[in-house]
Amino acid sequence: MTWFRALFRSTVGLKWLMGTSGLVLSGFVVVHMFGNLQIYLGPDAINAYAESLRKMPLLLWAARIVLLAAFLLHVLSAVRITQLNRAARPTPYELWSPQVTTYAARTMFMGGVILAGFIVYHLAHFTFGLTHPDHFKLHDAKGRHDVYAMVVLGFRQPLVSLSYLLAMVPLLLHLQHGVSSFFQTFGLNHPRYNRIIRALGPIVSLIVFLGNCSIPLAVLAGLIPYPVVGK
Amino acid sequence: MRLTLRIWRQKDANSPGGFVTYVKDHVVPDMSFLEMLDALNREIVERGEEPVAFESDCREGICGSCSLVINGIPHGPGRGKASCQLYMRHFRDGDTITVEPFRAKPFPVLRDLIVDRSAFDRIMQAGGFISVNTGGAPEANTIPVPKQDQEMAMDAAACIGCGACVAACKNASAMLFVAAKVSHLGLLPQGQPERYRRVRNMVAQMDQEGFGGCTNTFECEAVCPKQISVRFIARLNRDYFRATLLEP
Ligand code: HEM
Ligand code: SF4
Ligand code: FES
């Protein structure tokens, strides 16, 4: 593990750790968003999807452990590098006029802190069933955990929906900078591919944003019915 | 033109500084920014006050001495030029211009607009060289260099070490400078033997000096007088990773 210690000690190494863990987290966020979209296919589809994940405990737990490790590594290196970066400019400019630094790039740390808070809430809500235990206990006709009902009932509460919608803004910004950024961190920068690399962050982040936001909005608009009649 | 200049004045490294406002008349659009400051200093000296201290040498964009943050942009508005190559035609009559020194912990202010950039020299001493025993110069053509490598190496070697990249970066990161210096040697055959040791040592020195880390905002590239590409930072990242993992 000497290489790990060496990476954690240098600013360049920290970027490698942050980029690798950021790639894992971003990959998960994209896959997770597409998984969530199955709510539009009705209760049977999404409950079966959730059930199938539970039937593969080894895979599920491996994924959870990798995600947890990536999350901890990401936060740890983010805190360290942000400390170093802030210490590097003790006296701020009276006037600083960035030419190309985006809002997203400037707010990576604070956005990340909001995301971390949201992730804790989100897990308490849907994974551990702590915030709405009554929604969490439901089972469908086939005796499966009723994920569909849990999501719809949760999002019918305007404040719950609002918190999810608001949290998607820092996620949009974080991925907008982050997804293009890890290519550079991994040393992938070539004039032939830079246009696509720099477009990827904005495109991926927008897809995730729209996909995720559509669900609470659709529930609030009554487009995702519960209980489902005629089935 | 008549300009209002808000200039950072600071007696020495240990005194607190502050902005002093000067009104400068008779500014000609064809003056360079530094010539305008020279003219201002003449007026200040005639009044019996201390002139504004700023650095310059070549005044043609090749030495890297000049180091002003003009209206929040290192080397001022416009691309690919140093402060000494900025002309007053970029400003309008009646403008207020704020002039500050480069700000970074490893670049302490020595006086007014002059900062100490010897941190860059120490980074160079850590690895910005190739070790060869001197003797008769070998025949140059015995070491073939592919044209594209030679061109890229020369692009990197264009860095004049001014430090604007550090000044512009929100993290005061020196990555563009270090990447340029690592790459111009790392791309050439003569730089190969020390390639991985070089990147590790230069990055270690950069960190030790207290520069921040790169977060890929690319602000450095936008202000660099030599328009050094952030492509070299990607190259440094690759070499550094390889150096840490494979050649400890
Ligand atoms: C949904 C969870 C998250 C995802 C998908 C994610 C993704 C990413 C990605 C892809 C990067 C770019 C890495 C690179 O440039 O090599 C990144 C950078 C970063 N992340 Fe996250 N991240 C998440 C959560 C967090 C959290 C919780 C924090 C802080 C507590 C955080 C703070 C940062 C910081 C400070 C950076 C570096 C900023 C920069 O390079 O400009 N992130 N993240
Ligand atoms: S990379 Fe550009 S901005 Fe940085 S020191 Fe070299 S010439 Fe100056
Ligand atoms: S004075 Fe030499 S680069 Fe400006």
Side-chain angles (χ1 to χ4, degrees):
Chain A
M1 292 304 262
T2 49
W3 58 268
F4 183 82
R5 293 238 304 274
L7 286 182
F8 200 81
R9 285 218 184 110
S10 94
T11 51
V12 181
L14 281 167
K15 279 300 290 191
W16 271 94
L17 299 176
M18 193 134 61
T20 317
S21 52
L23 174 63
V24 171
L25 295 173
S26 309
F28 170 75
V29 164
V30 171
V31 173
H32 187 46
M33 188 266 309
F34 281 110
N36 296 342
L37 289 181
Q38 295 181 63
I39 191 119
Y40 292 112
L41 302 178
D44 208 42
I46 193 150
N47 291 353
Y49 168 64
E51 185 76 2
S52 70
L53 291 182
R54 275 168 199 237
K55 283 215 179 105
M56 299 183 283
L58 218 62
L59 198 73
L60 184 67
W61 278 100
R64 282 176 170 172
I65 288 166
V66 168
L67 281 172
L68 183 67
F71 181 78
L72 293 178
L73 185 61
H74 195 76
V75 172
L76 223 62
S77 36
V79 168
R80 181 82 190 111
I81 199 140
T82 305
Q83 273 176 346
L84 292 171
N85 291 350
R86 291 190 178 162
R89 173 151 308 126
T91 317
Y93 285 107
E94 161 97 355
L95 185 62
W96 184 58
S97 327
Q99 304 297 292
V100 294
T101 306
T102 57
Y103 180 76
R106 259 180 278 166
T107 53
M108 286 300 273
F109 185 71
M110 275 325 287
V113 170
I114 299 172
L115 281 180
F118 168 73
I119 291 167
V120 171
Y121 167 68
H122 178 52
L123 289 176
H125 181 192
F126 284 145
T127 307
F128 302 117
L130 296 174
T131 60
H132 300 276
D134 42 329
H135 300 167
F136 192 70
K137 283 194 301 248
L138 299 174
H139 290 275
D140 68 4
K142 291 185 185 151
R144 297 173 301 203
H145 180 214
D146 200 347
V147 174
Y148 181 89
M150 174 175 78
V151 171
V152 175
L153 291 174
F155 284 156
R156 272 197 189 152
Q157 308 188 35
L159 279 181
V160 173
S161 276
L162 187 69
S163 68
Y164 276 81
L165 292 171
L166 286 180
M168 288 307 110
V169 177
L171 184 63
L172 173 79
L173 291 168
H174 207 85
L175 292 180
Q176 185 193 315
H177 178 71
V179 169
S180 293
S181 177
F182 62 62
F183 286 92
Q184 171 80 3
T185 301
F186 299 154
L188 303 171
N189 177 317
H190 191 282
R192 197 179 298 157
Y193 303 106
N194 281 349
R195 273 196 31 203
I196 172 87
I197 288 174
R198 289 180 195 179
L200 217 55
I203 293 171
V204 170
S205 61
L206 193 68
I207 293 173
V208 169
F209 179 79
L210 294 177
N212 280 344
C213 285
S214 77
I215 299 171
L217 289 175
V219 169
L220 287 178
L223 297 175
I224 305 183
Y226 180 80
V228 184
V229 283
K231 263 222 166 172
Chain B
M1 295 196 288
R2 160 184 270 217
L3 299 171
T4 306
L5 299 161
R6 294 179 63 242
I7 300 180
W8 181 264
R9 302 298 311 260
Q10 182 171 339
K11 198 160 147 278
D12 54 43
N14 302 316
S15 313
F19 284 94
V20 177
T21 303
Y22 300 92
V23 175
K24 175 80 192 86
D25 276 307
H26 315 298
V27 176
V28 182
D30 291 338
M31 279 177 164
S32 76
F33 202 88
L34 302 190
E35 285 168 334
M36 185 274 297
L37 287 180
D38 289 338
L40 173 74
N41 273 343
R42 266 196 299 278
E43 293 170 14
I44 294 177
V45 169
E46 274 165 21
R47 289 201 298 268
E49 296 165 23
E50 274 294 314
V52 178
F54 63 91
E55 250 187 291
S56 77
D57 187 6
C58 71
R59 298 216 174 185
E60 55 179 2
I62 54 170
C63 75
S65 304
C66 55
S67 49
L68 304 174
V69 176
I70 301 163
N71 280 344
I73 310 168
H75 293 315
R79 294 229 168 176
K81 44 102 210 70
S83 304
C84 56
Q85 298 165 295
L86 171 67
Y87 286 88
M88 297 316 291
R89 51 182 168 267
H90 288 279
F91 301 93
R92 293 187 189 291
D93 187 36
D95 275 0
T96 297
I97 305 174
T98 304
V99 190
E100 281 181 85
F102 285 181
R103 297 227 185 261
K105 185 160 146 261
F107 287 171
V109 175
L110 295 177
R111 184 186 190 116
D112 296 341
L113 302 171
I114 299 182
V115 298
D116 179 357
R117 283 169 285 181
S118 38
F120 270 13
D121 299 335
R122 289 187 292 273
I123 294 176
M124 290 305 278
Q125 284 157 9
F129 51 78
I130 57 166
S131 308
V132 284
N133 294 324
T134 51
E139 160 60 35
N141 288 328
T142 51
I143 307 174
V145 180
K147 182 153 168 53
Q148 59 270 40
D149 287 0
Q150 175 259 327
E151 280 181 355
M152 257 189 97
M154 289 307 131
D155 285 350
C159 166
I160 55 178
C162 64
C165 41
V166 174
C169 174
K170 76 178 182 66
N171 312 317
S173 170
M175 280 286 274
L176 193 62
F177 166 77
V178 177
K181 297 304 177 192
V182 161
S183 299
H184 97 254
L185 296 173
L187 277 159
L188 296 174
Q190 293 87 341
Q192 295 312 307
E194 286 152 307
R195 178 167 170 184
Y196 295 104
R197 202 184 329 154
R198 174 181 306 113
V199 66
R200 237 175 317 122
N201 292 348
M202 290 183 85
V203 167
Q205 189 64 35
M206 168 183 94
D207 286 347
Q208 201 185 321
E209 296 291 343
F211 292 103
C214 177
T215 59
N216 306 333
T217 67
F218 303 161
E219 195 65 29
C220 49
E221 185 184 69
V223 302
C224 174
K226 296 296 148 191
Q227 299 184 290
I228 304 289
S229 167
V230 293
R231 201 178 161 187
F232 294 115
I233 297 182
R235 214 188 127 76
L236 181 152
N237 289 340
R238 252 179 305 166
D239 274 9
Y240 185 84
F241 192 63
R242 208 193 136 100
T244 313
L245 252 59
L246 303 180
E247 326 220 348

